[in-house]
Amino acid sequence: MQTDVLIVGAGPTGLSLANQLARYGVDFAIVDKREGTTPHSKAIGVQARTLEIYEQMEIADRLIAQGSHAEKARLVSGGEVRGEIDLRNIGKGMSPFPFLLIVEQGLHETLLYDHLRSYGVDVKWQSKLESFTHDETSVSAQIVCKEVRDEISARYIVGCDGAHSPVRHSLGLKFEGATFERLFYVADVELDWEFSHDALHVNLGDETLTAFFPMVGTRRWRIVGTFPEGHEKDPSEILFDEIEQQVTQDTELKFDIIKVNWSSVYKVHSRSVESFSMGRCFLAGDAAHIHTPAGAQGMNTGIQDGYNLAWKLAQVLKYGSPNSLLESYNEERLPNAKRLLSTTDRVFDLAASDEWFTSFVRKNVFPYVANFALSFDAVKRIVFPLVSQIGISYRESSLSETVGSFAVKAGDRMPWLEIDGRSIYNDLRAPIFHLVIFSDAASEILPLPDALLNKWKERIDSHVYPLDTKVQEAFGYNDPFFVILRPDNYIGLLSDDLSPNRIGQYLQKFE
């Protein structure tokens, strides 16, 4: 079999990458050793940036319909509610999805899989990557499907095959970091207790973390927590009764677990590869980075890995962009992974550290000031972009160019704006570049040269919007300007120089 891209792994990262490549019309094959999508809830948090990506794919509403979003967070300590945080408007004005969506991974994967099949493409299930070789021109992979060996020849391979990634091991890339001393547990349960189903609940303990997330279904909750340090049992030996006992001990709450749908005990690692790529080989998702579950970042980060890589592969494969464009994948995503590891480690330390001062603040100060702090827009504009991943930026990328003095910079995600009551994102769904001009006078916009229009007619469209107050506030600029958005809706060029030459010079990066 011959194809352009071989994707190994059909979890959320691999499936979302496959859907992106299908949008671009890139030929690919996707294999997975499992029999099908996961039946378990596993990762449940879907961030705003992921939903923005799915909106381009026209599946965001379908995923939202299968989940729920917590309207508040209750902070519990010593068996009592110590504080409550209003989450309903935390991202208002910053994203069309100003909330954290809670939907189980099984439903999430099924949606992505069904959408992929709508393109006429299927996953090669029960197909294990046995080995592969690669050189300057191609990749040759040996696949075993139900004891039958086959060979797939591809121009590129992407390992979306998890923390124990065979692709990463074959490339010999180091996966450096640390393993947390304590054990984590996760359980999908049905329980009876006094609290309403519209809020997530976080217990602020002395040295452990326990959180309850409301899931779709009567009395269904996800419980996530840690055993204290010194718990030396092998994870496989720990039964749910021991998890329940730990939850009761740590939270001092009264509850009755009626049914256990799924549970797991595991060690958490905080690790990242030294490079996301090697020649024609790439890594994405858990194959490239793993970390604590703090902030529901892992799955969403993997989806963004694929989102970043897909459009670059498409430009090279369909339009002959230089292979150097693919180098920007590692250039942009590796620093993000390292920042993410640092951030999630710090959040976990704050939530579960046994250091006396941190523990004191966590239990006796944080519950009483958290909601007050989040009532300020300035605080929301720090917290929401960080957690929702809309704040991820590639300002230092070789693909980012700013001409002029703006509050926003090239490399940032395109700010979400509503102009005349309509989301600007509605016009930016096509998987191409977008020339976006903000000006009140059409005469100020110089026409693009015919040669440029002819060369780029399938790769870029253009939009003109009035330079209204919302635009001026978002960009911190009052005069006419334009942006060239990459196909992933990150700003490639931001300029107050409206010359067509400026546009042409930037687009040469992709020719």
Side-chain angles (χ1 to χ4, degrees):
M1 176 182 177
Q2 291 187 335
T3 189
D4 284 330
V5 181
L6 172 60
I7 303 171
V8 182
T13 298
L15 288 171
S16 59
L17 171 59
N19 274 285
Q20 290 294 338
L21 292 179
R23 288 179 72 223
Y24 289 109
V26 172
D27 187 56
F28 66 91
I30 177 170
V31 301
D32 195 294
K33 63 183 180 181
R34 299 175 300 164
E35 295 183 357
T37 57
T38 182
H40 302 303
S41 54
K42 291 191 174 182
I44 59 172
V46 183
Q47 300 290 356
R49 186 58 186 146
T50 298
L51 291 174
E52 290 175 1
I53 294 170
Y54 286 178
E55 183 181 44
Q56 287 184 307
M57 300 163 58
E58 300 184 348
I59 61 172
D61 289 344
R62 290 158 58 190
L63 188 65
I64 292 170
Q66 297 189 59
S68 63
H69 44 92
E71 297 182 352
K72 49 196 169 187
R74 293 193 180 102
L75 305 177
V76 181
S77 182
E80 297 181 4
V81 176
R82 306 293 182 178
E84 191 169 280
I85 302 174
D86 186 353
L87 301 176
R88 288 173 295 181
N89 296 312
I90 189 171
K92 185 178 181 180
M94 289 179 270
S95 171
F97 308 102
F99 51 82
L100 170 67
L101 177 69
I102 299 175
V103 59
E104 55 193 91
Q105 184 174 324
L107 295 175
H108 192 161
E109 285 189 15
T110 298
L111 175 63
L112 289 171
Y113 179 46
D114 289 344
H115 190 65
L116 181 62
R117 288 193 292 177
S118 73
Y119 287 104
V121 182
D122 207 338
V123 177
K124 297 182 183 300
W125 299 110
Q126 296 179 279
S127 297
K128 180 180 179 181
L129 176 69
E130 188 174 65
S131 63
F132 71 94
T133 58
H134 60 103
D135 56 29
E136 294 181 356
T137 61
S138 64
V139 175
S140 179
Q142 289 68 50
I143 306 295
V144 178
C145 179
K146 300 177 183 178
E147 299 184 356
V148 177
R149 282 177 167 75
D150 195 6
E151 182 173 324
I152 297 179
S153 177
R155 294 179 64 181
Y156 301 97
I157 185 172
V158 187
C160 305
D161 46 349
H164 301 290
S165 170
V167 174
R168 187 187 67 240
H169 284 295
S170 295
L171 295 174
L173 290 172
K174 295 180 180 178
F175 203 39
E176 296 181 331
T179 301
F180 284 84
E181 294 298 325
R182 63 183 71 196
L183 294 175
F184 281 66
Y185 57 80
V186 58
D188 177 357
V189 305
E190 295 179 20
L191 63 80
D192 272 336
W193 63 352
E194 62 178 306
F195 300 115
S196 62
H197 202 254
D198 61 348
L200 63 91
H201 297 72
V202 181
N203 182 71
L204 306 173
D206 291 324
E207 58 172 334
T208 56
L209 168 68
T210 317
F212 301 78
F213 296 87
M215 299 178 67
V216 172
T218 305
R219 299 178 294 192
R220 277 192 65 197
W221 294 83
R222 158 67 60 84
I223 306 177
V224 178
T226 63
F227 288 101
E229 288 192 24
H231 200 286
E232 300 295 341
K233 274 191 177 182
D234 186 286
S236 62
E237 298 176 355
I238 297 176
L239 302 178
F240 182 78
D241 288 346
E242 193 167 345
I243 296 175
E244 184 175 4
Q245 181 181 353
Q246 190 68 49
V247 175
T248 302
Q249 176 182 317
D250 291 341
T251 66
E252 301 178 45
L253 294 171
K254 294 180 180 180
F255 56 83
D256 182 18
I257 294 179
I258 302 170
K259 182 181 179 182
V260 181
N261 297 316
W262 174 76
S263 67
S264 178
V265 179
Y266 57 97
K267 286 188 175 182
V268 166
H269 306 267
S270 181
R271 300 179 184 276
S272 173
V273 290
E274 62 203 61
S275 175
F276 274 47
S277 62
M278 178 182 289
R280 293 179 170 269
C281 311
F282 303 89
L283 298 173
D286 287 353
H289 48 78
I290 53 174
H291 39 80
T292 77
Q297 300 293 295
M299 178 184 66
N300 295 275
T301 303
I303 291 169
Q304 287 212 53
D305 289 342
Y307 186 56
N308 184 287
L309 179 60
W311 74 267
K312 297 171 181 177
L313 285 169
Q315 293 298 312
V316 171
L317 290 166
K318 291 187 66 178
Y319 302 109
S321 291
N323 278 322
S324 58
L325 175 60
L326 299 177
E327 296 174 4
S328 68
Y329 173 61
N330 180 70
E331 178 188 354
E332 294 179 348
R333 296 306 293 170
L334 180 59
N336 173 73
K338 290 185 175 180
R339 285 193 299 269
L340 179 63
L341 262 63
S342 176
T343 300
T344 53
D345 286 355
R346 289 199 301 269
V347 171
F348 175 74
D349 286 342
L350 177 64
S353 171
D354 60 356
E355 195 274 326
W356 75 268
F357 181 73
T358 302
S359 179
F360 175 82
V361 171
R362 180 171 64 240
K363 294 180 62 177
N364 300 285
V365 178
F366 180 71
Y368 304 101
V369 303
N371 192 53
F372 176 72
L374 281 175
S375 66
F376 294 97
D377 287 343
V379 176
K380 291 179 183 178
R381 290 193 172 277
I382 294 173
V383 174
F384 184 75
L386 180 64
V387 175
S388 68
Q389 299 194 349
I390 68 170
I392 290 173
S393 177
Y394 308 127
R395 291 186 179 186
E396 304 303 317
S397 170
S398 59
L399 304 181
S400 302
E401 183 179 339
T402 303
V403 181
S405 180
F406 298 87
V408 173
K409 304 296 181 184
D412 293 349
R413 150 192 170 272
M414 177 67 181
W416 177 66
L417 299 165
E418 285 187 321
I419 297 178
D420 296 329
R422 184 173 182 275
S423 170
I424 191 174
Y425 280 11
N426 290 345
D427 299 329
L428 306 175
R429 294 185 181 182
I432 56 177
F433 287 81
H434 305 283
L435 171 61
V436 183
I437 302 168
F438 294 99
S439 174
D440 291 319
S443 60
E444 295 176 348
I445 306 164
L446 300 179
L448 296 178
D450 289 340
L452 183 62
L453 287 174
N454 291 334
K455 185 184 296 185
W456 279 80
K457 62 182 179 180
E458 295 181 358
R459 301 172 68 182
I460 191 168
D461 62 11
S462 61
H463 308 272
V464 181
Y465 299 103
L467 190 62
D468 66 11
T469 302
K470 290 183 179 179
V471 174
Q472 294 175 19
E473 290 177 352
F475 285 87
Y477 201 78
N478 300 328
D479 296 320
F481 66 94
F482 75 88
V483 301
I484 292 182
L485 294 181
R486 308 168 357 167
D488 60 356
N489 279 358
Y490 278 84
I491 299 173
L493 172 63
L494 173 59
S495 175
D496 59 3
D497 176 3
L498 300 182
S499 166
N501 290 333
R502 180 70 67 181
I503 299 172
Q505 289 170 3
Y506 179 75
L507 294 179
Q508 284 179 356
K509 294 175 182 285
F510 308 98
E511 295 178 353

